[in-house]
Amino acid sequence: MNATTILLIRHGETAWNAVRRLQGHIDIPLNEEGERQAAALARALAGEKLDAIIASDLQRAMQTAQAVAGHHPHLQLHTDAQLRERAYGVFEGMLYQDIQHQYPDDFAKWQARDIEAVMPAGERKAESFHQFYDRTIAALQAVAERHAGQTVAVVAHGGVLECAYRAARGIQLDSPRDFQVKNASINRFTAGAGKLLLDSWGEVDHLHVSMDDVI
């Protein structure tokens, strides 16, 4: 199978990113800074030969992808719910400090990177990091198979980018995250034969200033 080039992009900043409020599957739009980042990202990718643009169906990813698609009018933007951020259950919508105060035991497992731990359910059921990893890597592999030999822009979330980085670098899921995942960053992978290879990570020159914020 011909290898697929995946430009994996984190959505632009949201108001909740800026105040460390956990989003998960809650559908939060970009803030003004995020819209600026998305526009800068779109200009940076205007000269790229893209064969497809795919986004998580959450609006912060869709808005970012729509900016990119604006410079590639021959392409139709497609969405994929399997590229959503991790589901955090009752943690969604809460500030980190409030999670720590109200759910100290679950917060401790989360911070200790217990990859099988599942947060209490809220409006939606939560998923463990292991479940989330399996979901997102399968989604990226499916993209690669559908677009073999092509170049695809995939706009998703910080957690999705973290999973892809770990898969490509062979990093254990329970190890600390010692790499940044920046809003509106471009991260280049080669995908094929069920594997991800990392070509470039954290391209943000197009932004001038970028934040490494919470998911």
Side-chain angles (χ1 to χ4, degrees):
M1 183 182 74
N2 293 329
T4 304
T5 299
I6 296 178
L7 309 186
L8 187 54
I9 298 159
R10 186 184 179 193
H11 62 78
E13 183 186 293
T14 71
W16 284 19
N17 286 149
V19 298
R20 293 180 59 80
R21 187 182 295 276
L22 199 62
Q23 294 171 129
H25 285 199
I26 295 180
D27 205 8
I28 302 300
L30 300 180
N31 62 10
E32 185 175 346
E33 173 61 11
E35 292 175 350
R36 184 198 71 79
Q37 292 172 342
L41 168 72
R43 290 191 295 270
L45 294 179
E48 297 269 355
K49 182 184 178 302
L50 300 179
D51 297 294
I53 303 172
I54 304 169
S56 155
D57 63 346
L58 296 176
Q59 63 177 318
R60 56 192 185 272
M62 288 181 58
Q63 286 179 277
T64 305
Q66 286 164 350
V68 174
H71 290 267
H72 299 269
H74 60 294
L75 297 178
Q76 181 179 355
L77 171 61
H78 295 277
T79 61
D80 184 350
Q82 295 303 305
L83 293 168
R84 284 187 176 194
E85 184 55 272
R86 180 179 173 185
Y88 282 95
V90 76
F91 285 13
E92 294 184 352
M94 297 182 66
L95 295 170
Y96 270 48
Q97 61 192 28
D98 292 338
I99 297 170
Q100 184 176 14
H101 177 70
Q102 295 181 37
Y103 300 93
D105 292 340
D106 293 297
F107 183 85
K109 290 179 182 178
W110 179 33
Q111 296 302 298
R113 301 203 64 89
D114 182 341
I115 66 171
E116 306 298 346
V118 178
M119 294 81 171
E123 183 177 337
R124 287 166 290 276
K125 290 180 62 177
E127 58 188 338
S128 71
F129 186 70
H130 198 171
Q131 292 169 330
F132 171 60
Y133 176 89
D134 288 346
R135 165 169 66 84
T136 55
I137 296 303
L140 292 172
Q141 290 173 345
V143 167
E145 291 171 4
R146 289 196 304 269
H147 298 279
Q150 297 183 334
T151 298
V152 184
V154 175
V155 183
H157 305 267
V160 178
L161 271 67
E162 176 180 352
C163 290
Y165 186 92
R166 288 180 182 274
R169 296 295 299 273
I171 300 173
Q172 292 185 347
L173 301 189
D174 59 358
S175 65
R177 198 189 85 183
D178 59 358
F179 51 92
Q180 293 185 322
V181 182
K182 297 182 178 181
N183 286 111
S185 60
I186 302 168
N187 309 275
R188 300 174 188 266
F189 293 82
T190 299
K195 296 182 179 180
L196 283 174
L197 300 176
L198 180 63
D199 301 315
S200 175
W201 182 257
E203 296 178 22
V204 290
D205 286 349
H206 54 283
L207 301 180
H208 303 295
V209 175
S210 182
M211 295 174 62
D212 177 34
D213 266 318
V214 297
I215 294 166

